[in-house]
Amino acid sequence: MLFLTLRDDPADAEIPSHKLLLRAGYIRRIGSGVYAYLPLMWRVLQKVSQIVREEMNAAGAQECLLPQLQPADLWKESGRWDTYTKAEGIMFSLKDRRDQEQALGPTHEEVITTIARDMIRSYRQLPQLLYQIQTKFRDEIRPRFGLMRGREFIMKDAYSFNVDEESLEKTYQDMHIAYSNILRRSGLAFRDVQADSGAIGGSASQEFMVLAEAGEDEVLYTKDGQYAANVEKAVSLPPDAQPSAFTNYEKRETPGTETIEKVCEFLKCSSTQLVKNVLYETIFDNGTSVLVLVSIRGDQEVNDVKLQNELTKLAPKYDAKTVIKLAVPDTEAQAKWASKPLPLGYIAPDVADDYIKSVKNIAPGFLRLVDKTATDLKNFVTGANESGYHVVGANWGEQVKLPEFAVDVRKARPGDRAKHNPEQTLESARGIEVGHIFQLGTKYSIAMGATFTNEQGEEKPLLMGCYGVGVSRLAQAAVEQSYDKDGIIWPVAIAPYHAIITIPNINDAQQVEIAEKLYTQLNQAGVETLLDDRNERAGVKFKDADLIGIPYRIVTGRAIANGKVEVVERKSRKSHEIAIADVVSTLNQWIQSVNSEQRSQ
Ligand code: ATP
Ligand code: MG
């Protein structure tokens, strides 16, 4: 076996699971976000894939394999070519020798929709549910943490086609159950949370999060178990605003108070009584740049994901379809469109449009949005549109015009009261997103003309859902959730091998003979077993066995004099002396009981 473990932590690995997989010889870095899955890792990935496959098949899904090389035309039809090559820039694209643009599949909605368009004609063929397990390519901005965020990774993606919302909801629920089963059977502690649908589009979506400190996502949840959401999507009740002390409208000189903190200190008021105005610049897919002014209560923050979703909804106002970029413009960016220096830190919701000079591709006025936290304020403080001045005691519709679009773009925070029950407060946890299920609706079928004839003989767009599991990310997430100072502790169901036989001294013929015999018997009986017959010190071999995290270690040591071997459970470190003749049946029984426990939980 090509087996090599490292004593020290590799320099470029930051989180425990990444370090351990490298050290234990599971993976090897080939390039940024690109890894070789070595034999041990491949076995783990096959196990995870098999669990996924079994659960998908049980839900009636059909396995297929779609092309990774995808013609740009399909992506242009769906309208995602620009978003994926420019906005998120996450898709690898290339030109072939005929000068045709191609992409390496980051996801397969376009491919599957074109197949459905060709093959599905009638409601009689519906519903359909297809899936594949395959390598995906994404040119991630920050590939990191090993398999967690790769540029090449393994995903199971499934797509459903349904006649109506009700049927889609049913498939979505089936997938929810399948995903819960997959994670439970893989031995993971997880949580399903409400999620943002992002660039994939569509309405309802949920993510499956493996709870771990190293997770890149923040989950907000309530202790009563009634609410859990990705922070990108989460909602809550904001703290109540303090009543305002300013009953008269007045302009005040407030020198050097560009920040909320400073102005509150200067005016001796609460940040909940202040309307702050955050400037963004967004670029739409048609190249139009729009200056966006978001008015929000002083103590609250803007959630960029929610804001981007609102801007996408407003895109048609600018003859555009989607947002390509959203950023807070720095001085350099401002120089491109500002006709005069902006009163930064003192901007009011009604700052004049003539700060924007007339430039091609820049919308002439501000797009003004107001968060619901700000619309309720009375006698508030805000900027005076003049450096060094604020106004106090202002009211909407009196001194300050209410921005045109009222939206919810506020970031929910830990400690906020929950909407479903104000007595519950939001708690925060870190999670690794291993699965995501979406109700896509008709976004792709309408864009690409995938229709069917319903029972009444009418032509209707197909309703779609899509369902992804990060197979390689899930495998690493399992390590992130289960390790100790000595190494990995694989859940039995996805461990590369169930058992490892360690021969303490390979010069002892009896030890070797018993080990080899057990090795054959165990493998024949379906207990996947590795034999460590290297000519190394026993201590080295024990260390390696711990590091690679095989659930059961069998040692043909001193106990063989009494016809026994030592069996050590990796997780609990419990050691048992078991008669040689009983090893196969005992291990088989242990493995089965762990697996069935996980299945039935
Ligand atoms: P993320 O927010 O982490 O980038 P995503 O929302 O882009 O994920 P989806 O497009 O829903 O992910 O993909 C389905 C699943 O594929 C994810 O739930 C995740 O488990 C996995 N996945 C996505 N991107 C990567 C990646 N770069 N490396 C490894 N796995 C990934
Ligand atoms: Mg992503």
Side-chain angles (χ1 to χ4, degrees):
M1 181 173 185
L2 181 61
F3 184 86
L4 181 75
T5 57
L6 310 175
R7 202 168 296 274
D8 298 313
D9 281 338
D12 56 345
E14 292 161 75
I15 59 171
S17 56
H18 186 197
K19 290 179 191 165
L20 287 169
L21 288 177
L22 284 167
R23 273 188 56 203
Y26 281 80
I27 56 174
R28 217 62 212 185
R29 183 180 180 277
I30 301 299
S32 168
V34 177
Y35 286 83
Y37 310 124
L38 298 175
L40 286 174
M41 192 72 224
W42 185 238
R43 290 182 70 101
V44 173
L45 293 170
Q46 303 259 58
K47 295 242 169 129
V48 176
S49 301
Q50 187 54 25
I51 293 174
V52 169
R53 197 169 267 131
E54 283 170 19
E55 292 300 331
M56 294 308 292
N57 293 348
Q62 311 152 74
E63 187 167 359
C64 62
L65 190 60
L66 305 171
Q68 286 163 312
L69 198 58
Q70 305 185 6
D73 291 352
L74 291 181
W75 287 80
K76 288 183 178 160
E77 270 187 66
S78 72
R80 285 207 297 182
W81 180 258
D82 284 345
T83 323
Y84 271 67
T85 56
K86 291 190 204 132
E88 303 201 350
I90 209 159
M91 187 157 69
F92 286 102
S93 55
L94 57 116
K95 273 195 182 149
D96 64 19
R97 64 172 74 234
R98 287 182 196 83
D99 230 22
Q100 302 290 319
E101 283 176 309
Q102 309 282 346
L104 289 179
T107 179
H108 282 73
E109 284 78 12
E110 282 73 5
V111 170
I112 200 85
T113 307
T114 196
I115 293 169
R117 172 173 62 191
D118 289 349
M119 294 183 69
I120 301 175
R121 297 257 170 267
S122 153
Y123 72 93
R124 287 192 202 88
Q125 294 169 280
L126 296 169
Q128 290 289 344
L129 179 58
L130 285 97
Y131 77 99
Q132 61 170 346
I133 300 174
Q134 187 197 50
T135 295
K136 294 277 185 280
F137 298 90
R138 292 186 184 179
D139 196 0
E140 297 279 355
I141 299 173
R142 275 195 77 191
R144 57 183 186 159
F145 302 157
L147 308 186
M148 291 289 192
R149 187 167 297 283
R151 297 202 299 164
E152 183 179 320
F153 60 95
I154 302 175
M155 197 203 285
K156 183 288 298 180
D157 45 329
Y159 304 88
S160 69
F161 298 95
N162 304 76
V163 286
D164 55 19
E165 293 283 353
E166 197 186 334
S167 165
L168 170 57
E169 180 70 33
K170 163 84 175 64
T171 306
Y172 184 79
Q173 291 312 335
D174 289 348
M175 287 297 98
H176 191 281
I177 294 168
Y179 275 42
S180 305
N181 291 344
I182 289 166
L183 295 179
R184 202 178 303 115
R185 285 183 57 190
S186 302
L188 293 163
F190 67 96
R191 186 165 216 141
D192 62 306
V193 309
Q194 294 176 20
D196 178 64
S197 299
I200 301 256
S203 47
S205 96
Q206 277 161 297
E207 287 165 341
F208 287 78
M209 295 282 186
V210 166
L211 304 175
E213 259 322 295
E216 287 188 276
D217 285 287
E218 184 181 2
V219 173
L220 296 178
Y221 66 96
T222 53
K223 285 232 168 85
D224 64 0
Q226 298 298 303
Y227 184 75
N230 190 315
V231 69
E232 293 176 350
K233 167 89 179 177
V235 293
S236 65
L237 298 172
D240 289 330
Q242 306 271 313
S244 173
F246 306 106
T247 43
N248 289 321
Y249 176 76
E250 243 183 289
K251 180 169 154 188
R252 296 257 185 106
E253 190 172 359
T254 54
T257 60
E258 291 83 4
T259 65
I260 301 294
E261 210 183 358
K262 284 183 186 159
V263 69
C264 289
E265 200 184 272
F266 188 92
L267 291 172
K268 303 205 172 20
C269 68
S270 152
S271 56
T272 61
Q273 266 313 315
L274 205 131
V275 173
K276 75 172 166 192
N277 304 286
V278 193
L279 185 63
Y280 288 88
E281 180 170 358
T282 187
I283 303 175
F284 287 110
D285 55 334
N286 59 358
T288 303
S289 227
V290 177
L291 284 317
V292 181
L293 194 63
V294 183
S295 302
I296 188 168
R297 210 171 78 187
D299 61 320
Q300 300 300 313
E301 301 296 329
V302 177
N303 174 331
D304 287 353
V305 174
K306 290 186 184 176
L307 177 59
Q308 176 150 350
N309 291 341
E310 292 300 334
L311 293 173
T312 305
K313 283 189 227 158
L314 291 169
K317 204 174 130 65
Y318 297 92
D319 293 322
K321 279 197 227 103
T322 122
V323 171
I324 299 274
K325 198 177 159 201
L326 176 64
V328 173
D330 56 16
T331 338
E332 201 184 317
Q334 285 168 33
K336 291 195 190 124
W337 52 263
S339 59
K340 50 192 172 180
L342 286 148
L344 294 173
Y346 303 91
I347 289 182
D350 58 1
V351 65
D353 285 335
D354 68 8
Y355 277 100
I356 305 171
K357 62 185 173 202
S358 135
V359 192
K360 189 172 171 268
N361 283 339
I362 295 196
F366 289 101
L367 173 59
R368 296 166 205 271
L369 307 181
V370 59
D371 182 75
K372 293 189 172 121
T373 49
T375 49
D376 296 339
L377 293 183
K378 303 255 175 316
N379 296 324
F380 55 80
V381 175
T382 195
N385 291 328
E386 187 180 336
S387 272
Y389 291 88
H390 278 84
V391 297
V392 302
N395 283 291
W396 297 116
E398 293 174 22
Q399 301 83 6
V400 186
K401 190 168 173 237
L402 189 68
E404 190 177 355
F405 300 98
V407 289
D408 168 22
V409 291
R410 177 181 148 264
K411 210 184 242 169
R413 290 188 196 142
D416 284 351
R417 293 164 300 164
K419 274 199 157 166
H420 74 277
N421 175 1
E423 274 166 20
Q424 294 282 323
T425 51
L426 297 187
E427 313 262 334
S428 165
R430 306 299 305 180
I432 301 164
E433 179 203 321
V434 292
H436 199 165
I437 57 176
F438 293 81
Q439 294 188 24
L440 294 170
T442 53
K443 173 170 166 160
Y444 297 91
S445 51
I446 289 182
M448 299 182 69
T451 59
F452 71 103
T453 313
N454 72 8
E455 242 182 302
Q456 288 74 41
E458 301 154 337
E459 192 171 329
K460 294 274 177 195
L462 287 158
L463 275 115
M464 288 176 61
C466 74
Y467 318 90
V469 172
V471 170
S472 45
R473 185 185 282 182
L474 186 157
Q476 187 174 327
V479 179
E480 197 56 46
Q481 217 171 46
S482 179
Y483 65 91
D484 63 15
K485 63 173 187 7
D486 298 317
I488 300 170
I489 305 172
W490 285 110
V492 173
I494 62 171
Y497 291 90
H498 298 125
I500 177 165
I501 303 172
T502 308
I503 308 173
N505 176 6
I506 61 147
N507 299 315
D508 181 326
Q510 206 191 353
Q511 287 191 8
V512 175
E513 190 195 322
I514 292 169
E516 286 181 348
K517 208 184 229 163
L518 275 175
Y519 174 72
T520 310
Q521 287 171 354
L522 284 163
N523 279 307
Q524 274 169 358
V527 180
E528 297 163 25
T529 305
L530 204 55
L531 178 68
D532 191 350
D533 57 356
R534 290 176 300 163
N535 188 8
E536 294 278 0
R537 278 182 295 116
V540 170
K541 293 196 257 194
F542 292 155
K543 265 207 159 79
D544 277 346
D546 280 351
L547 178 61
I548 66 174
I550 308 297
Y552 304 104
R553 182 179 78 208
I554 301 161
V555 187
T556 55
R558 265 180 230 114
I560 57 171
N562 309 318
K564 292 183 174 175
V565 289
E566 187 194 19
V567 182
V568 185
E569 203 187 333
R570 173 67 182 89
K571 189 171 172 188
S572 63
R573 300 201 171 277
K574 258 193 232 146
S575 161
H576 312 256
E577 284 203 346
I578 295 176
I580 294 168
D582 296 337
V583 170
V584 173
S585 60
T586 308
L587 278 176
N588 239 330
Q589 201 195 322
W590 286 354
I591 292 161
Q592 256 155 43
S593 82
V594 178
N595 283 345
S596 63
E597 210 176 283
Q598 242 122 37
R599 264 175 210 263
S600 62
Q601 252 170 29

